[in-house]
Amino acid sequence: MFDAYEIRKDFPILNKLVDGKRNTYLDTAASAQKPLEVIECVTSLYMNEYANVHRGSYWLSDRVTEKYENARKIVQQFVNAKTSDEIVFVRNATEGINLVASTYGLKNIKKDDEILISRAEHHANLVTWQQLAIKNGAKLKYFDLDEDGGFNLDKFVSKLTPKTKFVAFTAMSNVLGTIFPIKKICELAHKNGAKVLVDACQYAVHKKINVQEFDADFLVFSSHKVYGPTGVGVLYGKYDLLCDMPPYQYGGDMIEHVYYDKTIFTTPPARFEAGTPAIVQAIGLGKALEYLMKFDFNDIEKHERELTSYATRKLLEIDGLKILGTAKDKGGVFAFDINGIHPQDLAFILGKEGVGVRTGHFCAEPLVNMLGYTSLTRASLGIYSVKEDIDILVETLKKAKNFLS
Ligand SMILES: *Cc1c(COP(=O)(O)O)cnc(C)c1O
């Protein structure tokens, strides 16, 4: 049985007071808290089983290499890739997108070609393509969303042209909460002859990833948002595409043979993992995904759907509060504005009560500006969020509002 109150017991930090107050953590969209299993896994590696990978021929190095490669297999299972060779460990989702843009992108997207992304992209999935377009003379285009932030098939299709070579989009918006129909978008992009990158940073926490069912060409997410350590992320790529891509960085571990005047690069995924990787973090990510996979994603979704509608109802009780992003298909992310109150002031008062929310543009400045704001407040849910978190948020918001207006 899925019980968020039981789950909270797995996360030590949620059971500690913050500045003397209950830890009402509503910033999971920025980074998720870690279960004890992950923390212990990381600590134990440094205590008992630490060495570099892929190099030594002694017991410790062999053990760590085996665990590192096993983490790759766990990720493969998590995204349902065909083989673990399709899983590249990177620093974070941002690096995964940069890797694709500067290898696949530079090689295959040419002058006057078009790259299509949504209006709701995180800077990681916007600036990267914008800069690639500036570099190679391609054109970056945006598809619009509905008034309520929902995905609109016609608006997407209307931006596809014979020149569209690449489509990139967030599977779940970190501002609007909108969930995008991944499989449909991939299908239409492919029919149009374009390759697709899915930014699954938010989606990975809330819904089941299945790259084979989606038929995604590339997909990225970050460990720290799926209850794993910071410093590591995942790039999934179809194997034949990865094979056709030049290296991203040069150095140790990515070579077959090196001569003074030339280098033969090795095959993926090692080709894209130059230098010592985030060994402990990758193994910790494996542990976090094992933790997550113990649950049925249907239960996670159901829990979050219930909490999302509860939170929506409660938040809208507050006079003058507007939620940005009210699509039918949306996850547990609430960006909101309270008429006339600066988010920074709100967050300060919330913080005093132990409520952690985010303010600003959430790394989606053009979107927030387009919605008519420079700054918003955002609360976001995780597997461990409960009604009490929402109640405390809403109570404190009401108090803050009385105080500030
Ligand atoms: C957090 C986030 C990113 C960037 O993740 P990093 O871990 O900072 O690389 C990209 N896209 C979305 C939708 C995000 O929420």
Side-chain angles (χ1 to χ4, degrees), residues 109 113-117 129 132-133 138-141 165-166:
I109 304 171
D113 284 345
E114 293 173 2
I115 302 165
L116 180 58
I117 69 176
W129 302 112
L132 174 70
K139 189 164 178 220
L140 180 62
K141 292 176 83 175
K165 288 285 153 57
F166 205 89

Side-chain angles (χ1 to χ4, degrees), residues 29 92-95 122 124 170 172 174 199 201-202 222 224-225:
N92 46 32
T94 301
E95 188 176 56
H122 186 283
T170 177
M172 175 177 158
N174 66 318
D199 173 356
C201 278
Q202 297 296 332
S222 281
H224 70 97
K225 290 190 184 169

